[in-house]
Amino acid sequence: MAFDYFKYLRKEKLPHMWCPGCGIGIVLKAMIRAFDDLQWEPADIAVVSGIGCTSRSPGYLNANTLHTTHGRAASFATGIKMHRPDKHVVVISGDGDASAIGGNHLIHAARRNIDLTYIVNNNNIYGMTGGQYSPTTPLGAKAATAPYGNLEPSFNLASLLIGAGATYVARAHVGNGRQMSKLFRDGFNHKGFSFIEVVSNCHTQFGRRNRMADPMNMIKWIGDRATPLKKWESMNEDDKAMNFPVGVLHHDKNQPEYTDTYDALIAKLKQSA
Amino acid sequence: MAFDYFKYLRKEKLPHMWCPGCGIGIVLKAMIRAFDDLQWEPADIAVVSGIGCTSRSPGYLNANTLHTTHGRAASFATGIKMHRPDKHVVVISGDGDASAIGGNHLIHAARRNIDLTYIVNNNNIYGMTGGQYSPTTPLGAKAATAPYGNLEPSFNLASLLIGAGATYVARAHVGNGRQMSKLFRDGFNHKGFSFIEVVSNCHTQFGRRNRMADPMNMIKWIGDRATPLKKWESMNEDDKAMNFPVGVLHHDKNQPEYTDTYDALIAKLKQSA
Amino acid sequence: MSDQYPLKGTSKRKGITIEIDEVMCKGCNVCVEVCPVDALDMEGIGSRWQGYLAVIKDIEACTGCLLCELQCPDFAISVTVPDKKKKAAAAK
Amino acid sequence: MSDQYPLKGTSKRKGITIEIDEVMCKGCNVCVEVCPVDALDMEGIGSRWQGYLAVIKDIEACTGCLLCELQCPDFAISVTVPDKKKKAAAAK
Amino acid sequence: MYTHDKDADVKFWAGNIVVAEAAVAAGCNFFGGYPITPSSEVAAHMAYLLPKHGGHFIQMEDEIGAMGSVIGASLAGAKAMTATSGPGFSLKLENMGFGYMVEAPCVIVNVMRGGPSTGLPTHPAQADVMQARWGTHGDHSTIAIAPAFHQETYMETIRAFNLAERLRMPVILLLDEVLGHLSEGVVPPKPGSFEIWDRPRPNLKKGETYYPYDTTNGDIPPFIPYFEGHNWHTTGLNHDKTGFPTTDPATVDADERRMIRKVLDNRDIIDKVEWFMADDAEIGVFSFGSTARAAMVAVKQAREKGIKAGLMRPVTIWPFPKDQVYKFAKQVKSMVVAEFNLGQLVYEVERSAKYELPVKRVLKTGGVPITPAEILQGIEEVA
Amino acid sequence: MYTHDKDADVKFWAGNIVVAEAAVAAGCNFFGGYPITPSSEVAAHMAYLLPKHGGHFIQMEDEIGAMGSVIGASLAGAKAMTATSGPGFSLKLENMGFGYMVEAPCVIVNVMRGGPSTGLPTHPAQADVMQARWGTHGDHSTIAIAPAFHQETYMETIRAFNLAERLRMPVILLLDEVLGHLSEGVVPPKPGSFEIWDRPRPNLKKGETYYPYDTTNGDIPPFIPYFEGHNWHTTGLNHDKTGFPTTDPATVDADERRMIRKVLDNRDIIDKVEWFMADDAEIGVFSFGSTARAAMVAVKQAREKGIKAGLMRPVTIWPFPKDQVYKFAKQVKSMVVAEFNLGQLVYEVERSAKYELPVKRVLKTGGVPITPAEILQGIEEVA
Amino acid sequence: MHYETRFSAVGGQGIILAGTIIADASHLQGLYAAGSPTYTAQVRGGPTKVDVVLDNEPILFPRAANINFFLSLATRSYNMFAKDLEPDVTIVIDPNLTTVPDEHRKKYTIYDVPIIQLTADKMGRMVYTSAVALGTWVALANVIDEELIRAALKRRAPKGTETYNMKALSIGIDYIKELQDAGKVKA
Amino acid sequence: MHYETRFSAVGGQGIILAGTIIADASHLQGLYAAGSPTYTAQVRGGPTKVDVVLDNEPILFPRAANINFFLSLATRSYNMFAKDLEPDVTIVIDPNLTTVPDEHRKKYTIYDVPIIQLTADKMGRMVYTSAVALGTWVALANVIDEELIRAALKRRAPKGTETYNMKALSIGIDYIKELQDAGKVKA
Ligand SMILES: Cc1ncc(C[n+]2csc(CCOP(=O)(O)OP(=O)(O)O)c2C)c(N)n1
Ligand SMILES: Cc1ncc(C[n+]2csc(CCOP(=O)(O)OP(=O)(O)O)c2C)c(N)n1
Ligand code: SF4
Ligand code: SF4
Ligand code: SF4
Ligand code: SF4
Ligand code: SF4
Ligand code: SF4
Ligand SMILES: [Mg+2]
Ligand SMILES: [Mg+2]
């Protein structure tokens, strides 16, 4: 039997709105396979996003889905999770949404170690608004607001999240959907805040301006640099800078999860009442 | 001759508004000594803050001073520095201002490696608004909004900033004004974004709720845990967790500074015009 | 709509079925490029999207590696492998 | 306003001058606590702040280490050391 | 004006505590906040109360996040509240607009302080009332309630939750620093002695699809929270009844009009105006919230001086009670509008009066509330 | 309506490009932005233009930061601008209030789109006009300009900068998606052919102290940027002339009134109303921005049908031209207010008219602009 | 019955609590009360005050308009809050910490009570300052039954400090009583 | 003179550029122009259009009201934008990608031009699709001088592509001319 994606999809909404070859579709697929792996029921899953191409994902997923305001998905998700700690809450958004305007909610959700999985489709650009540079656009790359090449150093999202206290941090890339799905599954499974960056392609807005207008060009450019963490660690500094590690980058299983802590307080107060 | 603080002070505004024994005054003093060390002229310095007890500091400093909105100081400072890259721009704010509402501007200023020095007086509490817990309040500590003890894990600000890409990260504490001043001076001197956390006391709002209502109790409690980085690194995990390292925690002198990069572009365009 | 190559097929040797959904397929070329055995191809004119559509060039070559399916951004290609092999691959 | 101990004094031995500004001093006790040689003290009633004021208890004991000045949150106490010693200390 | 039975269990509470206590009484089980003077005690008291009642309190990283968490919790089924003051209210506006758009019931408390900007953080004002109406971008209706006495604050907080639930939308509760920090007696009504409303649920047949914006039975779409198997979607984009985005001009136009209509057509449960010595008034005083208390004294004093003054005190200020103002304006010779700002609702009064009636403005800012004497002077000027 | 000389150097620009070009022509040397449809091209074009002119562009992490950077740059002496649309405008409000409070000259562009919330990001609306007036908390005056033609946009962008400088305050420029993305001809005036104003500087004697809010010579305090040796302070708290906080009620009240007065007393340079066939009009049409262009066609068509219609088109919409509306309302039999929202400035029109004049509302939302035919129908209904 | 009280100090949380205690007690006596503190969380070390309005009718305008009793523990708070006082006001100050303008001495009835000294000498800990101050109010204002004040104070005092607070209250009351006995104060 | 043009496609930036080129050229001919694109940055792969209104008077209402020329490259864009057309409209579609309702065939004058095929066959790269499409407009609308269009196209074309664009334009023009010569189109 072929894998049945449609349990988790709103079939009538397809084909989706994304450009031919856009990596977001690959991410969506990997999410579905991870849901299926864990046998999560659609009714028990909330998927929350901000604004952007990536943030249109929830609309295609058969789940409790919420397309919020730009950058604020984590805060809505926090409210959902606090009120229903028994449910699975996943955030998916773009690099701009997550790390530009949404950076604060992202790092605070990580700090609290609240049991959300935050997936960032990092295509190094503001796709939806027409290709302005994002906090992850490489130095020198062209963008709508970087006509002379981007002048701003970029975030290493994984480092940022580790610094913020996230207890599960992984990186996948669009060239390897199978690994992506596995990392999603591990992140979903992790009790606490999990963050998975997917290095992705926006050939339309990033690629077109940077000689990679074809999706496969970009996907290959990404795949060529993606290096398993162990191997990457053994590289010299120059090679490290040219490549990026993929896989589980950080995993701390011993930190208390926030809604657990809170509900323990409720239980304690109930007892003492 | 006694050291003359008044070159950098608005004497007529003193005594300042802070509680007797509040660490902010110690920070202010250390800043002044660092300015003096570098012979920076008041006219060439802008000091920008957000809102909070700490953020009242600029009002006492004889410089170009700006008391902005809560959490947004870094963005105002960025505007000032971009327009006047030739001047010294310093941000000073509290842990809440810098890392709660202001977290996003903080990490992005760090990422850009724009030449600001950002000083955080981290007293682990929202002092001004009456002692609500902040992102740096220790787990279990009491606060106005944590009547049962704080449930939220806290930020390690230095780790967060290193993760965000800051090129100079240091930690001082109120028990050692001399070291603080030296770290400020180094941060001021650093071409790029520098971040200095000062572990500080708010005995009024934090201490009172946590059995340290007396300033010296809190200052000692801090000082006892402050450990020079080298020594701290050699500690076992338990001791590491009980103490915190002070000194320069990260220093990368080789990254391009943002206004330099920008002005190089202007120069290039001028040439090619 | 495809001229030469089919959108659906089952290999005789391995019994692997590949199916391309012509409504979903946007002709992005990803599946063609990722296929290690060159079993797929693009065909011009016909897609509602940009004038291309994926087609099966050589069903017998297919190893059932699933790469095309996993990498297709559009839920447009599915690969059914008859035996346990597929399950094993998916679980990896 | 101080009853017993002075707010200003110069040590005979080392010529070190300590000066407490009674308008600035909030009586927080920090200087007293940090002085390694117990040269300072707090006195009740008199401060506009909370009923205390720092005073010089033993000027001759003062080593000019500057700790009280550096740690005073209120620009209320200053220490002047006559020779180079002070400069050296400050520069550290 | 509320009188207390000597034997009643009178609580001497600050207004902010009253709000928190009443919210929990109304069924509030989620609070997402961020501290700000002079509203902070609402959050602190919720942090104390909620876990005892099995509810959840969270102090978010900022007001934007607080508002987001409240809407998220609401969609998951919570009765949710946030509380803030001027600067925080400004920050919440974008997400409040999202709340209007997805029709998420919730209560937003603004304990007003002096502004604009940081202004006078520890002093009162009533200068966010126009902002409450127009603060977020785009067209939308607003419900805003401004009580004047603690007993009223208690009951109006409950009503705010009920309106939010019944109309499926955010409701704003406006206090000010005077009320928020004022301690006065309040007698909490017994549970069961007041109405508690929950958002309407649809009558779905088994297997029937749930549409989150189905308005076949009226302008207020019935609601089923997340996680009950309906797997529905919503978005801040204009959407159709399914909750999915649409750009169909007619659908969008109709939907936006519906959301405004659902407020205007339910004014019977929303509107609330209190009158004080107004029946035979010749000088009409208009005032609300804490300032109205000074106006009551002024009206009494005017009467003592032989001036037939009377007070119209809207408790619900949005939607604006324009018809009542119109009638009042026709009844009186002239009007006095007393508000603790530099002129906001007076514009609405002028608009509602619809003719050139002398309208005396008693306006003020600077942190010290308007006194009875100042209003009395205004009354005397137009008497 | 602008006619172009055939030989003129006509640029076929989108409205957003016009704004950027005009800003640089007006002396803008700092732009802090954050992309948002449909305003993004303003930022992109500034990113292209500014470094060529020695100015600085920065894309901030969000709109709040963008607004902060603009005010910071302004205090350091820059002519600074930001551009956004609905959701971003909502986010900027808190810092805009700070701009009013510290009296920092700057220009804020809002290219309006459908709302509320995310709404219709790629479609036009005129639904942020009340927000422009009342969006931030607290009392304050607003200057908002809404041009209708690209040539006008060019000149009004320059005027926005000039007003910001002359009055030392933020000025809002309101476009909408129709204008922002519409490409039409514009002939940029030659440098030197138009006025450029800089913020007033004080005449200080040597050694004299500079007070950043010294109003001895008028309501607009003269300005010296940072870093010129005056080491001044400012704050979003209410402050006195020195820039330091004060809670003195009289000082605060007076200062807040002054900041409102500085706008109202300078209406001669702020106000701008265009009239079209209005002299003998019996049916008064009121419309602004892109909708006014449809209204012009409708007025012409009405005249062709024998209906004496005429258009009042405010270019400056805040402060609201209430006296002109009053006069116009007295002149005409009835009015038609056409705005691309569900009723905003019509409230001001009704208030300004001061009596029960029939006011027909031609209102709409949903993304497709109001057509001449729809306005014509409105005219015919009240004719 | 209408009585307005203002307590003021520098940076004092204690006086705000004292105000609350009066209000609490007033309920027990069948009165209406309205308490308005300056909000101190933002005024570290700055002058603070609390106004308590008592009335036998429900209180409409809750702010003080005509203060009957004014207490100040510091010159800075005195200068800030001793404004718009009517001639019939009763004023208590700590003479060690508060300097009162001469004209005020002429205009108003001012009692010098060395509250801080009394607290320091007799209680040893400054936290009881406000209870001592409250005692002077009990004796001078004479509008609420002493026992009701004691009951309210007990309820609001931090656990374990009840007896100390009772003692501190007595110190204030007794000091005034002594003055009264000595004929220096109208009883 | 008043002429309204609508180009529509799916996900096409090219047609928006084509609209701009018409407007540019119209200036050279002394006309006023107003171009309104659907804003495509948010419509990945979705239907897009651009309207260009030409007039010899300054243009008041800038949106299209009565379209003279409508071009569609895809069924989805046709369905979305072929609304409210007047009977006198001229329609060009690519028959390989656009299915037109029968009633439209009856009501309107529709020209089938296999634009994609032409581009693929004769240009090899699909980026020239819109120049080919523009060519059909030049020939059919006949309101702007071909040379002025060429001048404008040259100015806006990415560097290095000018000659290819000229060629693509000719392909469109020639295809219509051929049809006209064959009598299948009114010239
Ligand atoms: C408050 C606000 N600011 C700006 C925008 C405009 N906006 C929409 S999506 C987006 C960025 C999208 O980039 P990213 O998050 O990387 O998503 P992508 O489209 O690349 O998947 C922006 C700036 C908005 N919708 N709301
Ligand atoms: C937008 C906004 N939200 C909230 C506040 C209220 N507020 C003022 S200061 C502050 C926190 C102060 O804490 P911190 O930054 O740690 O400074 P501290 O007082 O401890 O030095 C808060 C929440 C505000 N002024 N503005
Ligand atoms: S614009 Fe970029 S991110 Fe958006 S759908 Fe296209 S390829 Fe994907
Ligand atoms: S409240 Fe805390 S931070 Fe504020 S002045 Fe007092 S001790 Fe310092
Ligand atoms: S399953 Fe693997 S071998 Fe078969 S067609 Fe797909 S990619 Fe090629
Ligand atoms: S990857 Fe999918 S969408 Fe792309 S060509 Fe292949 S089947 Fe079609
Ligand atoms: S200088 Fe050193 S020794 Fe002298 S008083 Fe100060 S702390 Fe004591
Ligand atoms: S440290 Fe300073 S303020 Fe504190 S007691 Fe000593 S001199 Fe006074
Ligand atoms: Mg992106
Ligand atoms: Mg703090």
Side-chain angles (χ1 to χ4, degrees), chain A residues 54 94-97 121-128 134 136 202:
Chain A
T54 309
D95 45 318
D97 192 75
N121 179 68
N122 178 6
N123 54 20
N124 308 289
I125 201 83
Y126 293 162
M128 175 155 275
S134 89
T136 61
C202 172

Side-chain angles (χ1 to χ4, degrees), chain E residues 6-308:
Chain E
K6 252 195 88 172
D7 302 325
D9 185 13
V10 176
K11 307 287 184 190
F12 192 68
W13 279 338
N16 286 340
I17 304 298
V18 175
V19 170
E21 291 279 346
V24 172
C28 176
N29 52 7
F30 182 87
F31 184 95
Y34 189 79
I36 182 166
T37 306
S39 77
S40 299
E41 297 82 9
V42 180
H45 204 61
M46 290 305 275
Y48 166 74
L49 289 177
L50 276 178
K52 296 219 278 184
H53 289 78
H56 291 85
F57 166 91
I58 189 165
Q59 183 176 297
M60 292 295 285
E61 49 276 9
D62 59 22
E63 287 89 348
I64 300 174
M67 192 68 232
S69 73
V70 159
I71 297 172
S74 169
L75 295 176
K79 288 196 181 179
M81 179 167 86
T82 188
T84 190
S85 301
F89 198 68
S90 286
L91 288 171
K92 283 184 204 288
L93 290 169
E94 193 209 0
N95 275 348
M96 272 177 64
F98 183 84
Y100 289 123
M101 189 63 115
V102 302
E103 301 179 69
C106 58
V107 173
I108 298 136
V109 183
N110 178 354
V111 184
M112 293 181 282
R113 67 190 222 183
S117 194
T118 318
L120 294 173
T122 59
H123 293 77
Q126 297 180 308
D128 305 346
V129 290
M130 288 302 271
Q131 182 191 34
R133 174 67 188 92
W134 296 111
T136 196
H137 61 283
D139 295 297
H140 60 282
S141 267
T142 306
I143 300 177
I145 299 175
F149 297 89
H150 282 14
Q151 191 68 36
E152 187 172 70
T153 298
Y154 197 103
M155 300 315 295
E156 290 298 308
T157 301
I158 294 171
R159 200 167 71 97
F161 274 95
N162 285 341
L163 289 175
E165 294 284 317
R166 293 174 76 175
L167 298 171
R168 223 189 120 168
M169 65 183 287
V171 170
I172 298 167
L173 188 67
L174 290 171
L175 268 66
D176 62 39
E177 194 272 341
V178 170
L179 297 173
H181 287 152
L182 170 71
S183 293
E184 73 176 356
V186 56
V187 181
K190 298 241 161 352
S193 71
F194 50 88
E195 282 188 338
I196 290 192
W197 287 80
D198 293 321
R199 50 199 87 167
R201 274 185 84 99
N203 286 321
L204 289 188
K205 293 189 206 77
K206 232 193 128 165
E208 201 180 339
T209 309
Y210 169 61
Y211 296 115
Y213 302 98
D214 186 352
T215 51
T216 23
N217 295 314
D219 282 340
I220 300 147
F223 184 90
I224 301 180
Y226 278 164
F227 306 120
E228 297 198 9
H230 295 284
N231 302 350
W232 52 277
H233 179 73
T234 192
T235 169
L237 290 161
N238 285 98
H239 42 251
D240 60 19
K241 75 164 185 175
T242 67
F244 285 89
T246 178
T247 56
D248 177 58
T251 307
V252 172
D253 187 72
D255 204 48
E256 301 240 339
R257 286 178 197 266
R258 172 186 63 79
M259 286 192 281
I260 288 173
R261 198 172 53 227
K262 79 173 176 182
V263 171
L264 298 184
D265 282 1
N266 283 292
R267 295 192 67 141
D268 53 324
I269 60 167
I270 301 169
D271 282 8
K272 189 164 175 194
V273 175
E274 297 284 344
W275 301 93
F276 182 72
M277 301 185 163
D279 283 353
D280 62 341
E282 289 168 4
I283 307 296
V285 181
F286 177 99
S287 193
F288 62 96
S290 67
T291 305
R293 296 174 65 148
M296 289 168 84
V297 178
V299 162
K300 274 169 58 173
Q301 292 171 346
R303 291 262 172 182
E304 281 162 20
K305 292 191 169 192
I307 303 170
K308 283 196 178 170

Side-chain angles (χ1 to χ4, degrees), chain D residues 16 18 31 34-40 61-69 77 79:
Chain D
I16 298 169
I18 302 180
C31 55
V34 298
C35 176
V37 297
D38 212 11
L40 305 170
C62 174
T63 64
C65 74
L66 272 180
L67 269 182
C68 55
E69 177 179 322
I77 185 164
V79 180

